[in-house]
Amino acid sequence: ANLRMVMGSPGELAWAAAYREAVVYPCAAPRVRKAWTAWSAEERRRWIAAIRLLDAQGHYAAFVGMHLYNADLIHSTAQFFTWHRILTWEFENAVRASAPEHACLTVPVWDWPRAVSARDAAGVTATADWTVFDEFLRDMGGPGGARGV
């Protein structure tokens, strides 16, 4: 029962366990996460292709479901950081296992200093409006763009 609270529904746990046994494509490079703004156009293209592939297979929705299922249990507890690290690691593993060309991809990080600087330069004060200054969200089809997923 505790594992269910931490990771997700029984079906999602079985799916996550299957990913641990999936084919893992080799990547000689260490995992180094960097801001989306530091990614090359080719890295961005591969990331968006990987997310589209996971979405077409229903796996992206499973990760979203795990997050939503546990949101009330995790977001206001001491488990917040640990749980999200595990979820991010497993999501990254799923991306890397999706195809050989995705083997070295890592989850991009949010470039807070850049986002805050852009927000301040534009005079935006509402937190919800910060997202329009983030290239990752725009490229993924979020606020300010529809080019991505």
Side-chain angles (χ1 to χ4, degrees):
N2 288 339
L3 186 59
R4 180 175 178 262
M5 285 178 52
V6 173
M7 288 304 296
S9 72
E12 290 160 346
L13 286 174
W15 175 83
Y19 248 106
R20 286 190 197 97
E21 297 175 13
V23 173
V24 177
Y25 299 105
C27 177
R31 290 187 196 216
V32 177
R33 295 185 182 139
K34 59 186 181 179
W36 182 257
T37 54
W39 286 29
S40 69
E42 176 57 20
E43 288 171 317
R44 290 179 183 203
R45 185 203 62 75
R46 279 186 286 141
W47 176 263
I48 290 170
I51 300 305
R52 285 181 173 159
L53 180 59
L54 290 177
D55 190 42
Q57 296 169 340
H59 302 316
Y60 185 80
F63 278 100
V64 171
M66 278 188 263
H67 189 259
L68 291 174
Y69 181 84
N70 290 289
D72 291 339
L73 300 169
I74 298 301
H75 283 182
S76 59
T77 71
Q79 296 174 337
F80 178 86
F81 291 114
T82 304
W83 188 88
H84 281 89
R85 284 182 185 135
I86 293 168
L87 184 71
T88 301
W89 181 262
E90 292 297 340
F91 180 69
E92 189 171 270
N93 286 340
V95 167
R96 293 166 72 103
S98 66
E101 62 270 22
H102 305 149
C104 291
L105 290 175
T106 57
V107 172
V109 297
W110 186 291
D111 188 347
W112 278 106
R114 183 183 173 112
V116 170
S117 293
R119 178 215 56 190
D120 290 348
V124 173
T125 56
T127 303
D129 293 338
W130 291 17
T131 58
V132 299
F133 301 105
D134 188 73
E135 289 179 40
F136 174 75
L137 294 177
R138 280 197 307 269
D139 289 349
M140 295 299 289
R147 313 184 288 234
V149 176

